[in-house]
Amino acid sequence: MSILFQEIAEITSEAVPLVNEESESLLGLITAGGPSGTIIIAVLILLLFFALYIYFERLMKIRASSKIDSNFMMQIKDYISNGRIDSAKMLCAKEGSPVARLTEKGISRIGSPLEDINSAIENAGRLEVYKLEKNVSMLATIAGAAPMIGFLGTVIGMVIAFKTLADAGGSADMGSLAGGIYTAMITTVAGLIVGIIAYIGYNHLVVKTDKVVHQMEENASDFLDLLNEPA
């Protein structure tokens, strides 16, 4: 048993330096590009965290908005058929989804011309879509801006490399130029990675939002058909 504990201790002692070396190597990759490269990488990391926050926050919001009881419209139909308008409004308030809020807006206009009810639902629908798309455009901005910031680092890195070459009278060795070239490459890679992640996240949210919008349109159409049914 003591031999087993001794072997475990030896393996652990060997693993800890490896973890430290990996952490140091990652930090080294970030800082090896010099002050300008480090600043650009730091900006890109902030943009990445911001993009991930927006993505997951909006994704949870959209998923919550898409959940609705499958019997919702049947219950609304029963309430309206029986003249229980207040009960229908209470059900919509309890449901709390975009579909329910559109339906509640239509219920509150019952008695008005059908065209007015349709206009009220459309206006409420535009407001709901705006709420769903809140901050999503920031992902598109990050998707476009991150590669550009990375390319800015590329230009800065090449300027540093050529400045080093000029200071050396055109005879600088590769070691002297490596810093500028490294800055150019690492910032480009980082910018593309952040841009790709933000772009994928943006398009995924757009697809999810479109599904909710389709759901709202379908239920709004069902509600208007309900009002058109003969008594």
Side-chain angles (χ1 to χ4, degrees), residues 75-89 107 110 226 231:
Q75 291 177 285
I76 292 296
K77 180 178 180 180
D78 290 340
Y79 286 144
I80 293 177
S81 299
N82 295 322
R84 300 171 58 187
I85 304 300
D86 291 337
S87 297
K89 289 182 178 180
I107 293 172
I110 289 180
L226 171 62

Side-chain angles (χ1 to χ4, degrees), residues 131-167:
K131 291 179 181 178
L132 289 174
E133 294 178 344
K134 181 181 178 182
N135 294 329
V136 173
S137 60
M138 291 298 298
L139 281 180
T141 302
I142 293 173
M148 294 177 66
I149 294 174
F151 292 147
L152 174 62
T154 302
V155 174
I156 292 174
M158 296 310 297
V159 168
I160 293 173
F162 282 111
K163 179 65 167 58
T164 302
L165 184 62
D167 291 342

Side-chain angles (χ1 to χ4, degrees), residues 82-228:
N82 295 322
R84 300 171 58 187
I85 304 300
D86 291 337
S87 297
K89 289 182 178 180
M90 289 177 62
L91 177 62
C92 293
K94 180 181 178 181
E95 192 69 29
S97 65
V99 169
R101 286 192 286 270
L102 291 187
T103 305
E104 183 179 10
K105 180 63 69 173
I107 293 172
S108 66
R109 295 293 191 274
I110 289 180
S112 302
L114 195 61
E115 184 178 348
D116 293 344
I117 297 176
N118 188 29
S119 298
I121 292 176
E122 287 181 354
N123 292 334
R126 282 192 286 269
L127 179 60
E128 293 296 334
V129 172
Y130 172 77
K131 291 179 181 178
L132 289 174
E133 294 178 344
K134 181 181 178 182
N135 294 329
V136 173
S137 60
M138 291 298 298
L139 281 180
T141 302
I142 293 173
M148 294 177 66
I149 294 174
F151 292 147
L152 174 62
T154 302
V155 174
I156 292 174
M158 296 310 297
V159 168
I160 293 173
F162 282 111
K163 179 65 167 58
T164 302
L165 184 62
D167 291 342
S171 60
D173 57 11
M174 286 302 298
S176 301
L177 301 176
I181 296 174
Y182 179 84
T183 299
M185 295 300 100
I186 193 66
T187 54
T188 301
V189 171
L192 289 174
I193 290 174
V194 175
I196 290 170
I197 292 174
Y199 181 75
I200 293 174
Y202 170 76
N203 282 281
H204 185 236
L205 292 180
V206 168
V207 171
K208 290 289 187 181
T209 302
D210 287 343
K211 288 182 179 179
V212 178
V213 172
H214 176 72
Q215 187 183 52
M216 288 191 295
E217 291 175 347
E218 183 180 3
N219 282 270
S221 177
D222 291 342
F223 178 75
L224 292 174
D225 290 341
L226 171 62
L227 296 182
N228 277 324

